[in-house]
Every structure is written in C-alpha cells, then in structure tokens.
Amino acid sequence: MTRASGAHVWDVDGKQYVDLTSCTGAAPLGAGYEPVVDHVAAEMRRTGGILLGPLSVHRVELAERLAEIFPVAQRSVFFRTGSCATIAVVRLARAHRA
C-alpha cells in the first residue's frame, strides 16, 4: 500500500480498498485523522522529536485522569505496544500467583 486516509488504503496502481485491518493495528479514528496529525506535528515541533520522556507533561496528565477514573489504581505504567503491556500483565500475574 502506498497511502491511507480514514478507512481506505491505496496500492501502487492507485486502486482503493477499504482498510479492514485498521492499519494492522488499533486505529479507531482511521488513518491520517487531521486533528491527531496536527497535534502530533505540533508536539514534535515543540519537543524536537518523537520520544517522550518517562515523566512528560502528557503522561502525567493522562495518569492523573486515569487515577480519577480508576481510584483504586496505585500507579500508571505506559508501554510502547499492546504486546509489551500483555507480557507485563502475564509476568505480574505469575509473580502474584507465586
């Protein structure tokens, strides 16, 4: 595929398809959702890159919001991928069982 927009992707010959795999990942807003793209670009300009620090303002704000929603949670941990989060949960469950 050469490009994507919303729920559609295009191949090298320009043929359009409905993206039934959701960008082969979680993309509930579709590919290239302008408000998200604009915000990401602005943050990259502001911070000078794509790697957020472990205690970035955004992570702290999100952790605080999550604590309001889930008051029993003692802490928030963020992972790069769903796979990393799943592995951590399995390890935590194994440690708790032991």
Side-chain angles (χ1 to χ4, degrees):
M1 300 301 158
T2 60
R3 69 182 183 99
S5 179
H8 298 94
V9 293
W10 287 261
D11 66 16
V12 294
D13 297 321
K15 188 171 180 184
Q16 181 179 353
Y17 304 88
V18 174
D19 181 9
L20 298 175
T21 66
S22 187
C23 305
T24 312
L29 299 174
Y33 184 66
E34 284 300 317
V36 172
V37 171
D38 293 344
H39 186 74
V40 168
E43 283 301 302
M44 288 181 69
R45 281 191 293 276
R46 186 183 70 77
T47 63
I50 61 170
L51 300 175
L52 293 175
L55 294 176
S56 71
V57 172
H58 295 298
R59 288 184 184 189
V60 171
E61 288 174 359
L62 178 57
E64 289 171 348
R65 286 170 129 182
L66 290 171
E68 291 172 7
I69 296 169
F70 304 102
V72 297
Q74 295 178 355
R75 68 180 70 163
S76 295
V77 179
F78 299 97
F79 296 92
R80 291 184 199 266
T81 68
S83 296
C84 290
T86 301
I87 290 168
V89 168
V90 169
R91 288 179 178 163
L92 182 62
R94 285 179 180 161
H96 180 72
R97 187 179 60 154

